[in-house]
Amino acid sequence: MTRSQDMERPFPTVAVVGLGTMGTGVAVAVARSGRRVIGIEATEDSAARALARIEEATAHAVDRERITAAERTALLARITVGHALTAAAEADLVIEEVPEQLELKREVFAELDRICPEGTVLATGTTALSVTRIAAATARPERVLGLHFFNPVHTMKLVEVVRTVLTSPQTAEDAAAFARDLGKEPVAAGDRAGFVVNGLLFAYLNQAAAMYESKYASREDIDAAMRLGCGLPMGPLALLDLIGVDTARTVLEAMYEQSRDKLHAPAPILGQLVSAGLLGRKSGRGFYTYEAPGSSRAVDAATGPARAKVPGRAVHTVGVCGSGTMATGIAEVFAKAGHPVLLAARSQEKADRAKAQLARSLERSVTKGRLSGDQRDAALALVTPVGQYSELAEVDLVVEAVAEDLAVKRELFAILDKIVRPGAVLATTTSSLPVISCATATSRPQDVIGMHFFNPAPAMKLVEVVSTVLTAPDVTATVLELTAKVRKHPVECGDRAGFIVNALLFPYLNDAVRMLQEHYATVDDIDTAMKLGCGYPMGPFELLDVVGLDVSLTIEQVLHQEFREPGLAAAPLLEHLVAAGCLGRKTGRGFRDHARR
């Protein structure tokens, strides 16, 4: 059967050249689809080891009940493994999975071009190298493309189908159909470093490495912030260790070579770790130290938010300023933890409405079984709505949650400075403004700190605790301890734009907008790629529409203003959508049209 006779099941015979971890996974996935697989390794010994890996992997699949013993027997019968590249002549499709070295891949493709019939399609599994330059080693560039599988192949649904300017449409269509027949989700990508997933992922990982290198925040706090603040399956530094620090550096070098964007230039710490042989899990040590090479168990990671032992201040009564969603959510957090809360707004009517909103939130928790009726009543009884800030005179902590406008916040802090008792802690929930600017509106900047809760505050575990250059150590200790007591996870950082989460999240979102703006990939393909390739709960455009494009633009502008990196400048497409009033879900239209859904 030839490919032209069976367009619904293209490529009945597939050769896989290079049977390391990825090659083995691809070979098994292809064989599971009912196709014949020709596995090719460099030497007779390496071929024998590769066959043993395939047998072990399929036995493990039987143990995990992913396949039956009978299916394993049939699968293995469809796989042959040898060390002669000439065996690829029998294949309709050849997938190359040799080490990530351009000249090595070009040599393999030149030889495959000589060996294989004219109609054979040649695919590279490269994660970072130019598919075009690999294709140029052949006389059939129209039948060369990238097929980027993700590890582990048996669980990861995504395949990036990478076209060069010379790849024929039919070749790309057949490759996508092949991926779907393996039970995968293909996304179309053009030939640029990193393609869709790595193009967005590695710039973010690189910035996280640079953030750690600058000692802005600890490993644990950076990783916890992105897991808890964004719902990501792993923190960036733990992910770098899993991927391999050397692999990450190689991908970033390839990206920088094409983009010349300083944000893609590998952080110096990556080179230092590679030079020292600290490559991550595979070597037993990278950003973390592991039980043994290949182990996933870090032995030097802190298990909780332990901090320097500075005595904190006593906090019993809490004042919350504001009447919006964040203010009521924060009041709920403290009340549920047993703290009397004064919920202060600019009028009694607004304060009463805010408490009513809080009551509805507590009622929903009872309905969902998260709270008992008695717990709801106890929390509600601890919240007193007040229409004058003067009522906050005797509280131990004031948390400001008013509009994200520096003039408004400074005015409020100046008022609080005159009202609230000496020694009380004054906190701002700002997500993008300088905490020091709030602090200098008072005569007691040493008592001012950032407490950045995430929305919705009752559900989100993360709080960024932001100390300025003037914040007293005992104030930082007080807020770290208190945050843990109200069952949140504090991460500690300094007072610079974006803190941890937004400083890492929004450049990634901006990169996705640029990718779309350049017509590199579609909204749906980019969102699908990041959800399936990285396990993200939402794609970047889904998230932008939820956050609000106007909010996102403001944060991008703040980051660019602070760090002055050209790569942080807001994408023009984002600016244009905001100017057009397309702000996301709240207006019915953003990157998607929500009014039609």
Side-chain angles (χ1 to χ4, degrees):
M1 179 167 46
T2 66
R3 209 163 29 93
S4 60
Q5 293 169 329
D6 185 17
M7 291 308 294
E8 290 186 3
R9 278 181 61 82
F11 312 128
T13 300
V14 178
V16 180
V17 180
L19 295 170
T21 301
M22 282 300 297
T24 296
V26 171
V28 171
V30 173
R32 282 192 69 177
S33 74
R35 291 171 168 81
R36 179 186 169 208
V37 176
I38 302 166
I40 302 171
E41 261 293 337
T43 67
E44 189 173 355
D45 285 347
S46 60
R49 289 193 298 272
L51 182 58
R53 280 196 298 274
I54 290 170
E55 290 172 344
E56 182 182 354
T58 53
H60 192 55
V62 173
D63 292 341
R64 293 285 184 91
E65 299 183 346
R66 290 199 298 264
I67 59 174
T68 66
E71 287 171 332
R72 175 178 183 260
T73 300
L75 185 157
L76 290 173
R78 290 192 286 272
I79 300 176
T80 58
V81 178
H83 64 283
L85 195 61
T86 51
E90 299 177 42
D92 305 286
L93 167 69
V94 182
I95 302 174
E96 164 273 309
E97 291 287 358
V98 303
E100 197 76 341
Q101 299 164 18
L102 180 61
E103 288 312 311
L104 173 60
K105 289 181 186 287
R106 283 175 53 85
E107 287 171 16
V108 169
F109 270 73
E111 190 65 12
L112 288 170
D113 188 46
R114 187 185 65 78
I115 291 166
C116 295
E118 185 179 309
T120 303
V121 171
L122 307 180
T124 173
T126 183
T127 62
L129 300 175
S130 167
V131 179
T132 303
R133 292 176 70 182
I134 294 169
T138 76
R140 63 179 89 191
E142 72 282 358
R143 284 185 289 279
V144 178
L145 79 168
L147 278 177
H148 180 209
F149 290 81
F150 287 74
N151 192 35
V153 176
H154 68 272
T155 60
M156 298 296 280
K157 298 285 286 183
L158 183 68
V159 176
E160 290 178 316
V161 179
V162 185
R163 311 168 316 282
T164 74
V165 290
L166 295 177
T167 304
S168 74
Q170 188 63 59
T171 297
E173 288 171 21
D174 288 353
F178 166 73
R180 280 190 289 270
D181 200 51
L182 299 187
K184 305 297 183 185
E185 182 76 33
V187 298
D191 183 27
R192 74 177 196 185
F195 314 133
V196 177
V197 173
N198 288 349
L200 294 178
L201 175 67
F202 279 85
Y204 149 70
L205 297 178
N206 194 40
Q207 289 173 75
M211 181 180 280
Y212 172 66
E213 184 174 21
S214 71
K215 296 183 169 39
Y216 175 68
S218 70
R219 299 171 308 183
E220 290 82 3
D221 279 356
I222 292 170
D223 280 354
M226 299 313 292
R227 283 189 296 105
L228 300 176
C230 299
L232 305 188
M234 292 184 78
L237 302 179
L239 182 55
L240 279 164
D241 277 357
L242 174 62
I243 291 167
V245 178
D246 52 339
T247 302
R249 189 165 182 266
T250 297
V251 172
L252 285 163
E253 289 283 13
M255 290 173 63
Y256 180 71
E257 184 180 344
Q258 289 192 29
S259 71
R260 295 299 167 182
D261 185 337
K262 189 178 175 184
L263 297 179
H264 297 157
I269 192 172
L270 298 177
Q272 294 158 17
L273 289 170
V274 171
S275 297
L278 307 179
L279 309 182
R281 288 189 187 183
K282 60 189 173 187
S283 67
R285 187 177 165 195
F287 286 94
Y288 295 89
T289 300
Y290 297 87
E291 202 167 42
S295 170
S296 61
R297 184 171 179 269
V299 295
D300 65 338
T303 55
R307 312 288 168 175
K309 293 181 180 178
V310 176
R313 304 178 188 180
V315 174
H316 179 58
T317 306
V318 176
V320 178
C321 297
S323 56
T325 302
M326 278 307 294
T328 56
I330 292 166
E332 180 179 330
V333 168
F334 284 109
K336 285 195 294 193
H339 290 274
V341 178
L342 295 180
L343 183 51
R346 285 177 294 177
S347 70
Q348 190 62 48
E349 183 184 2
K350 285 190 172 184
D352 290 339
R353 280 204 303 265
K355 182 170 181 179
Q357 181 182 333
L358 190 157
R360 288 191 292 273
S361 174
L362 291 170
E363 188 59 42
R364 284 194 296 272
S365 294
V366 172
T367 302
K368 293 177 180 179
R370 295 173 184 158
L371 279 182
S372 69
D374 288 345
Q375 289 171 322
R376 172 201 59 203
D377 295 343
L380 202 55
L382 285 169
V383 179
T384 303
V386 296
Q388 298 180 64
Y389 293 135
S390 58
E391 299 284 347
L392 304 177
E394 295 303 318
V395 299
D396 303 309
L397 164 71
V398 179
V399 181
E400 164 276 307
V402 299
E404 191 74 346
D405 180 304
L406 185 57
V408 172
K409 289 183 187 290
R410 280 180 58 85
E411 181 183 356
L412 175 57
F413 270 82
I415 292 168
L416 294 174
D417 186 39
K418 294 181 176 66
I419 291 169
V420 181
R421 69 170 182 82
V425 175
L426 307 180
T428 173
T429 59
T430 183
S431 62
S432 60
L433 300 173
V435 178
I436 191 66
S437 295
C438 296
T440 53
T442 76
S443 62
R444 49 171 122 180
Q446 71 279 2
D447 294 336
V448 179
I449 195 167
M451 285 186 80
H452 180 209
F453 287 81
F454 286 72
N455 195 29
M460 297 294 282
K461 295 285 290 180
L462 183 69
V463 176
E464 290 178 315
V465 177
V466 186
S467 300
T468 76
V469 290
L470 297 177
T471 303
D474 67 329
V475 169
T476 303
T478 299
V479 173
L480 289 169
E481 184 180 344
L482 178 65
T483 303
K485 281 182 179 176
V486 299
R487 296 185 285 281
K488 299 297 180 184
H489 187 108
V491 296
E492 186 178 359
C493 57
D495 182 25
R496 73 180 197 189
F499 311 137
I500 297 173
V501 173
N502 287 349
L504 295 178
L505 173 64
F506 280 88
Y508 150 75
L509 296 177
N510 198 46
D511 280 351
V513 179
R514 281 211 200 99
M515 192 175 273
L516 176 68
Q517 178 182 290
E518 294 164 7
H519 306 289
Y520 177 71
T522 66
V523 165
D524 288 340
D525 274 355
I526 294 170
D527 276 355
T528 297
M530 297 313 293
K531 288 191 288 186
L532 296 183
C534 297
Y536 285 10
M538 301 177 80
F541 297 109
E542 289 176 292
L543 184 54
L544 281 161
D545 277 359
V546 168
V547 170
L549 274 59
D550 51 340
V551 174
S552 303
L553 177 59
T554 297
I555 294 172
E556 285 295 341
Q557 290 169 335
V558 167
L559 290 171
H560 184 233
Q561 176 66 24
E562 176 125 335
F563 297 111
R564 307 298 174 97
E565 288 288 352
L568 292 178
L573 177 58
L574 183 61
E575 294 178 326
H576 295 164
L577 286 168
V578 172
C582 300
L583 308 183
R585 286 187 178 272
K586 60 190 173 186
T587 61
R589 185 174 174 189
F591 286 99
R592 289 184 172 88
D593 188 347
H594 301 281
R596 295 182 183 178
R597 295 184 175 221

